[in-house]
Amino acid sequence: SLIIVGSIGETVYHRNIYGLMLTFIIIAIGLDHAWKLTKKLKRKILIAILVLTTVSFALLQHIKYVTYYYTSHSIQNPLLFKYDAPEIFTYLKDYQDYTIYDNIFFVPIYAGIYWQLDPVDFQQNAIWADPDDWGFSNAQTWNNLHLTETSINNLLCLKHQNPDTPLRALIIDDPGKYNSVAVFLSHDFSGSLTLHAVYDIDLLYPFVLENYPNDLCRLN
């Protein structure tokens, strides 16, 4: 399987059915050869080989993960992992009585990490999305946190239907034309890059009503 992953470059690609079939074939051949070899070895030598192999592969995987995280991944997405998520969830600590919508992060998981919430509560109360094309399920809702494709305009439409009633909703999204009134903007230390904004719909609505009235849904 290392040959497959090494030749493709990304482990995710061998999760498809053809990659898995090839992986299973290689593993089966390897097990067959290993079984034949073990019959010729003494028990102490066999145990020593198994221990050495297990420790070696565990160490290799750890080194690969740490190297990848601190080089490729954090360089490709420096703001997401070094700035955006920690800063945004630190900011949101003061708004846990709001409904928080998000289409940037895996909100329930990230928030659980940064807010150090009870993992037992997460297991019992998180609502999971349907499996995606790869067969993975992600936590979609946990308490007031929602991983959703709800847009800013959809929330503004809800607010527009009853403008005098507080909506008490925040949404984490890419900054668009409303970024000048976003409650919070995350950025790097130089301030040259801005990726995500947290919008308070109650505060955003008057600004949109005055400057972008056509962005609000039409009421019957």
Side-chain angles (χ1 to χ4, degrees), residues 14-58:
H14 81 279
R15 289 177 181 156
N16 63 70
I17 186 62
Y18 302 107
L20 284 177
M21 288 174 62
L22 183 57
T23 301
F24 292 152
I25 291 172
I26 293 174
I27 291 174
I29 294 173
L31 290 174
D32 180 65
H33 282 283
W35 177 251
K36 291 177 181 178
L37 288 174
T38 56
K39 290 182 177 179
K40 303 177 183 179
L41 299 176
K42 295 181 179 180
R43 185 172 182 179
K44 291 183 179 180
I45 297 177
L46 178 60
I47 293 175
I49 292 175
L50 288 176
V51 171
L52 181 61
T53 302
T54 302
V55 172
S56 299
F57 273 102

Side-chain angles (χ1 to χ4, degrees), residues 2-212:
L2 290 176
I3 296 175
I4 298 173
V5 174
S7 63
I8 295 174
E10 291 287 345
T11 57
V12 68
Y13 293 118
H14 81 279
R15 289 177 181 156
N16 63 70
I17 186 62
Y18 302 107
L20 284 177
M21 288 174 62
L22 183 57
T23 301
F24 292 152
I25 291 172
I26 293 174
I27 291 174
I29 294 173
L31 290 174
D32 180 65
H33 282 283
W35 177 251
K36 291 177 181 178
L37 288 174
T38 56
K39 290 182 177 179
K40 303 177 183 179
L41 299 176
K42 295 181 179 180
R43 185 172 182 179
K44 291 183 179 180
I45 297 177
L46 178 60
I47 293 175
I49 292 175
L50 288 176
V51 171
L52 181 61
T53 302
T54 302
V55 172
S56 299
F57 273 102
L59 183 62
L60 175 63
Q61 287 298 106
H62 181 72
I63 293 174
K64 285 174 59 181
Y65 173 80
V66 172
T67 302
Y68 176 74
Y69 181 83
Y70 284 105
T71 56
S72 303
H73 214 55
S74 58
I75 289 175
Q76 292 172 6
N77 303 284
L79 304 186
L80 178 64
F81 291 97
K82 291 186 178 179
Y83 305 118
D84 282 42
E87 289 188 6
I88 283 179
F89 287 117
T90 297
Y91 171 83
L92 292 179
K93 281 183 179 180
D94 297 329
Y95 293 90
Q96 292 190 41
D97 57 338
Y98 278 59
T99 300
I100 299 172
Y101 299 93
D102 175 51
N103 51 26
I104 299 297
F105 306 111
F106 292 108
V107 150
I109 298 176
Y110 276 118
I113 293 172
Y114 289 110
W115 291 345
Q116 299 179 358
L117 299 178
D118 184 1
V120 175
D121 179 74
F122 177 79
Q123 290 295 328
Q124 293 178 345
N125 297 313
I127 298 175
W128 296 81
D130 293 331
D132 57 22
D133 294 337
W134 295 104
F136 294 99
S137 296
N138 297 304
Q140 188 175 43
T141 299
W142 183 23
N143 299 327
N144 64 324
L145 305 168
H146 300 269
L147 175 63
T148 176
E149 295 182 359
T150 297
S151 67
I152 294 176
N153 287 338
N154 287 341
L155 293 176
L156 286 171
C157 182
L158 291 176
K159 176 68 177 178
H160 192 53
Q161 293 175 11
N162 198 352
D164 297 327
T165 302
L167 187 59
R168 297 180 69 81
L170 302 176
I171 183 169
I172 306 170
D173 208 342
D174 291 317
K177 56 188 174 183
Y178 308 140
N179 62 356
S180 60
V181 293
V183 176
F184 175 80
L185 293 176
S186 62
H187 51 76
D188 62 356
F189 290 134
S190 68
S192 61
L193 298 174
T194 302
L195 290 185
H196 307 129
V198 177
Y199 295 94
D200 186 324
I201 298 301
D202 287 331
L203 297 178
L204 181 62
Y205 174 74
F207 174 82
V208 176
L209 183 63
E210 179 180 355
N211 297 282
Y212 302 95

